Amino acid sequence: MKQIQTESRSKMLKAIEALDQSLSVLRTGRANPGILKRVVVDYYGTSSPIDQLASISTPDSRTLVIAPWDRGALNPIEKAIRDSDLGLNPNNKGDTIFISLPMLTEERRRDLIKNARTYAEDAKVAVRSLRKHALDDIKKVDGVGEDEIKRSETEIQKLTDEFIKRVDDTVSAKEQDILG
């Protein structure tokens, strides 16, 4: 029973980590290199994440600077950023790329919050699915009394409630970050 609870906890932690990763890509009012995580560059016929081809820094709160390690990657990186769904306009300065992040409009903030809530709902569904699997596993254990099964089910529900609250807290913090 304890093993089922431990496995459920570790799987639920992974659901929270996936939520954090999804939320890190959402753009807030500040420059964050994390927004470029999903940008994939076609470099000499190979698709590579942008952070494997260049260093990304933030000299101020509104600017991203991308310095490719190979100058030949400059134009493919610029094209990949422009073609992404991030709505960013990169400026090629010869050996680096500068991206000025515009202020978020109220409409764009609402869209970002809607996306954050969608990611949160996906995480909650994952946690609830893990609860269902854990409860099914508990019922399959042989040689255990009903009292022990009920106690384990209660513990799994407490664990689920804890992780649902963590999802809500994480999204609430991200919403505050987006609202600025």
Side-chain angles (χ1 to χ4, degrees):
M1 297 291 184
K2 286 288 184 194
Q3 181 181 358
I4 293 171
Q5 291 174 10
T6 305
E7 288 175 9
S8 295
R9 176 176 286 281
S10 70
K11 290 177 181 177
M12 288 179 186
L13 276 171
K14 289 180 183 173
I16 297 291
E17 290 171 7
L19 173 65
D20 287 339
Q21 201 169 40
S22 295
L23 291 177
S24 72
V25 177
L26 290 180
R27 199 173 99 200
T28 59
R30 296 182 307 272
N32 176 6
I35 65 173
L36 297 175
K37 279 184 184 177
R38 292 190 182 161
V39 176
V40 179
V41 180
D42 185 28
Y43 184 58
Y44 291 119
T46 305
S47 294
S48 303
I50 195 168
D51 58 355
Q52 290 183 3
L53 299 173
S55 65
I56 305 169
S57 60
T58 54
D60 61 50
S61 65
R62 295 257 178 253
T63 308
L64 288 173
V65 177
I66 303 164
W69 293 306
D70 177 13
R71 221 168 153 207
L74 200 63
N75 288 331
I77 289 173
E78 183 181 11
K79 182 181 181 324
I81 293 169
R82 192 168 280 124
D83 293 345
S84 72
D85 62 349
L86 296 173
L88 300 175
N89 190 20
N91 296 318
N92 187 338
K93 301 288 186 185
D95 57 349
T96 55
I97 296 173
F98 287 83
I99 300 174
S100 294
L101 297 175
M103 294 290 291
L104 294 174
T105 63
E106 190 62 36
E107 181 181 344
R108 182 68 178 140
R109 288 179 198 270
R110 276 190 247 120
D111 289 343
L112 291 172
I113 288 173
K114 192 183 300 182
N115 288 345
R117 289 180 181 160
T118 301
Y119 294 145
E121 193 55 42
D122 291 345
K124 286 180 183 180
V125 167
V127 168
R128 290 179 187 128
S129 175
L130 291 168
R131 174 189 61 193
K132 181 184 180 318
H133 290 298
L135 293 176
D136 291 345
D137 290 346
I138 287 171
K139 291 176 183 173
K140 291 179 185 174
V141 175
D142 291 330
V144 179
E146 279 189 43
D147 290 343
E148 184 64 30
I149 289 174
K150 287 289 183 197
R151 197 174 3 257
S152 293
E153 287 176 349
T154 303
E155 289 299 317
I156 292 293
Q157 185 59 46
K158 285 180 186 175
L159 191 65
T160 303
D161 293 342
E162 172 191 336
F163 278 94
I164 295 291
K165 182 172 180 354
R166 285 173 77 171
V167 167
D168 289 338
D169 293 345
T170 301
V171 169
S172 177
K174 187 64 175 186
E175 286 178 7
Q176 292 304 316
D177 203 21
I178 290 171
L179 292 174

